[in-house]
Amino acid sequence: MYLALPAIAAKAAEAQFNAARLGTVYGFAYLRGFLHALYDKSQDGADMYSKWLSRVDSEFDAALKSRNFASILSDYVDSMIDLRRMFRDAGYPVDYMDRAFDAYVHNMMVFSNIPGRFNLTPSDVVLTNGKTRLLHYRVDGQKKGAPLLVIYAPINRYHILDIEPEKSVVRRLASGGLDTYLLDWGHPGPGDDSLSLKDYVGYVEAAVDFIKKSGAEKVSILGYCWGGIMALIYSALHADSVNRLALMAVPVDTSQDDTILAHWARALDSDRIAEEFGHMDGQMLDLGFILRNPPRFAFDKYVRFFEKMHDRGFVDTFTAVERWLYNTPPIPGNLYRDIINGCYKRNALFKGEMALDGMKVDLSKIDVPVLAIAAEHDDLASPASTLAVLGAVSSKDKDSMRMPGGHVGLCVSASAHKSLWPQVARWLSS
């Protein structure tokens, strides 16, 4: 152990240097934003804070998408992985500390999601498969169209689709006459690190097979974000079981995904991350979301919150979304690696070059009605990337819907629930 200390110290110094390089990029973005705002005469009616915030948005967008930043970020992550391995090889109990931390985070997440914490739409757990649960919503009304399976992303929890009664996507769909089911991925633990994209598509297959036992010949599917990737793969392999396919903010053609996180995903070595940690830690994902634009995501939203504290509806939605936002389970290492490498780095899903368990995933095999739903200001899945699916499938009946706002706004904004979701329910019921 003691013989390794000089090497560990040198690697720690390297990691610290790379951290300083990252900090420099952020620091200069802040400074340039301030200087531009100070001398900006085009927004004379705006206060200094608003002008600075507007300018710093563009500064971060340019700086954090640059090749230079991607290189620095990759160097930093690699040096931290090297440092962790050196500590473990020297006999430090890093794996034990990781397990203890993961257990603590897991217990806190479970506690934060007891039923009373969220005013969820009533549902029954009709199928369990590992950590995955299939929920069937109890909403009265005449059922129209094929049963609907909602596939949420394995990032955060499904509660954003059921955030509160007046802004609940699943309640809106079920109330629209759809016999609605949802896949809850649960909280993967250390024993689930080996789960891959194949396993998650297998969970989708098991859910569809279960729903079809109720007498339905086919099932409609709504996939959100990475859940849409699984919906696409399943539909390509089992198009005869799908009635209609709706894809909401899904990164399909990642060559057209110009978001900051897409740039970072392509820059980092997902194989090393999965091999060293076994999973992508949820708290690291939370930090990554904030680092896309710290003024916006770690400061300004709380300024806006205090400005609207008199609005009870706004406060209730804000606190519910915050509770959901920072409840991020880990992503199993193999699943993380499959999606990053297969979708973001090789764009294999869109190109028709992905294989799952020896079967080629060809999106042109999808000939059922397809709907692509995009948010115009989505900073997690570029609209062009989502809408590209319409050119990849063979469907004759295909349509798109676009809404103002961002990725999460599709689920929780008043405008989405007023205009978008009634339209989606009618489309799915056709």
Side-chain angles (χ1 to χ4, degrees):
M1 180 183 296
Y2 293 109
L3 293 176
L5 286 178
I8 290 175
K11 183 57 67 174
E14 178 185 330
Q16 189 174 16
F17 172 70
N18 288 327
R21 293 168 67 200
L22 290 175
T24 300
V25 175
Y26 279 91
F28 275 111
Y30 279 112
L31 179 60
R32 286 193 301 268
F34 175 77
L35 293 175
H36 283 300
L38 188 63
Y39 296 104
D40 184 4
K41 303 302 182 182
S42 64
Q43 304 181 57
D44 286 338
D47 59 272
M48 183 62 185
Y49 173 73
S50 298
K51 290 199 292 185
W52 171 76
L53 200 61
S54 175
R55 295 299 311 202
V56 86
D57 283 344
S58 57
E59 291 294 339
F60 276 121
D61 192 64
L64 302 186
K65 291 178 181 178
S66 67
R67 291 185 178 180
N68 177 58
F69 185 84
S71 177
I72 297 172
L73 181 64
S74 178
D75 289 346
Y76 173 71
V77 172
D78 285 345
S79 62
M80 291 300 293
I81 290 175
D82 290 340
L83 185 61
R84 186 181 185 277
R85 285 184 175 179
M86 293 172 72
F87 271 115
R88 187 179 63 247
D89 292 343
Y92 289 93
V94 292
D95 294 322
Y96 170 79
M97 290 187 289
D98 281 350
R99 287 193 296 270
F101 178 74
D102 289 341
Y104 169 76
V105 171
H106 174 77
N107 290 334
M108 290 299 294
M109 286 184 177
V110 171
F111 173 76
S112 70
N113 281 296
I114 58 177
R117 303 281 290 186
F118 287 91
N119 189 6
L120 301 176
T121 303
S123 64
D124 297 311
V125 179
V126 294
L127 177 68
T128 58
N129 195 347
K131 299 289 178 62
T132 300
R133 306 183 306 161
L134 180 63
L135 307 183
H136 187 202
Y137 287 93
R138 302 194 304 269
V139 177
D140 295 332
Q142 184 177 1
K143 299 296 186 289
K144 297 182 292 185
L148 171 66
L149 174 62
V150 180
I151 305 176
Y152 181 65
I155 303 173
N156 297 104
R157 297 295 304 280
Y158 72 94
H159 302 138
I160 196 64
L161 296 171
D162 197 16
I163 201 69
E164 55 187 28
E166 294 302 315
K167 294 180 179 178
S168 167
V169 172
V170 292
R171 184 185 293 266
R172 188 80 56 184
L173 294 170
S175 299
L178 291 157
D179 189 14
T180 305
Y181 295 79
L182 180 142
L183 268 176
D184 169 22
W185 302 117
H187 285 272
D192 302 310
D193 287 346
S194 62
L195 293 175
S196 65
L197 185 56
K198 171 190 170 184
D199 295 306
Y200 275 71
V201 174
Y203 292 145
V204 174
E205 182 177 3
V208 172
D209 289 345
F210 179 89
I211 296 170
K212 288 170 65 178
K213 289 178 182 177
S214 65
E217 293 183 5
K218 296 186 177 185
V219 175
S220 293
I221 296 177
L222 168 64
Y224 180 28
C225 193
W226 282 14
I229 292 175
M230 298 161 196
L232 268 173
I233 294 172
Y234 175 82
S235 299
L237 298 176
H238 304 279
D240 56 338
S241 292
V242 180
N243 180 57
R244 286 175 170 260
L245 175 63
L247 301 166
M248 168 182 160
V250 179
V252 181
D253 180 4
T254 55
S255 70
Q256 298 191 62
D257 195 337
D258 192 40
T259 61
I260 289 174
L261 288 182
H263 282 269
W264 293 358
R266 290 188 282 263
L268 298 180
D269 191 335
S270 56
D271 292 320
R272 292 198 73 199
I273 293 171
E275 180 183 352
E276 180 61 29
F277 296 97
H279 57 262
M280 169 51 76
D281 187 76
Q283 284 60 55
M284 290 298 102
L285 286 171
D286 290 340
L287 180 61
F289 291 144
I290 291 173
L291 289 177
R292 292 174 300 151
N293 190 329
R296 285 287 184 189
F297 302 126
F299 180 70
D300 181 65
K301 67 176 179 178
Y302 298 110
V303 173
R304 305 305 173 194
F305 171 74
F306 284 113
E307 289 176 348
K308 293 190 175 183
M309 285 188 67
H310 61 280
D311 185 338
R312 178 61 183 272
F314 174 85
V315 170
D316 288 346
T317 301
F318 182 91
T319 53
V321 172
E322 285 293 286
R323 187 161 59 244
W324 163 81
L325 186 63
Y326 294 108
N327 182 1
T328 310
I331 300 176
N334 283 338
L335 174 65
Y336 170 74
R337 177 164 34 200
D338 289 345
I339 291 180
I340 298 300
N341 290 350
C343 295
Y344 286 89
K345 292 191 175 183
R346 295 193 290 113
N347 204 14
L349 177 60
F350 182 74
K351 292 178 177 179
E353 298 172 356
M354 178 179 285
L356 207 69
D357 199 23
M359 295 184 292
K360 183 180 179 182
V361 180
D362 184 356
L363 298 186
S364 68
K365 297 293 184 181
I366 299 175
D367 57 2
V368 303
V370 173
L371 172 65
I373 306 168
E376 292 179 355
H377 302 290
D378 196 330
D379 59 355
L380 296 178
S382 296
S385 175
T386 299
L387 298 174
V389 70
L390 300 178
V393 299
S394 299
S395 311
K396 294 181 180 179
D397 181 355
K398 46 191 176 182
D399 202 355
S400 65
M401 296 181 187
R402 298 182 67 143
M403 284 291 297
H407 195 82
V408 176
L410 287 172
C411 302
V412 303
S413 73
S415 59
H417 283 276
K418 181 180 180 180
S419 61
L420 173 66
W421 290 111
Q423 292 182 64
V424 175
R426 287 193 295 269
W427 186 88
L428 289 166
S429 300
S430 300

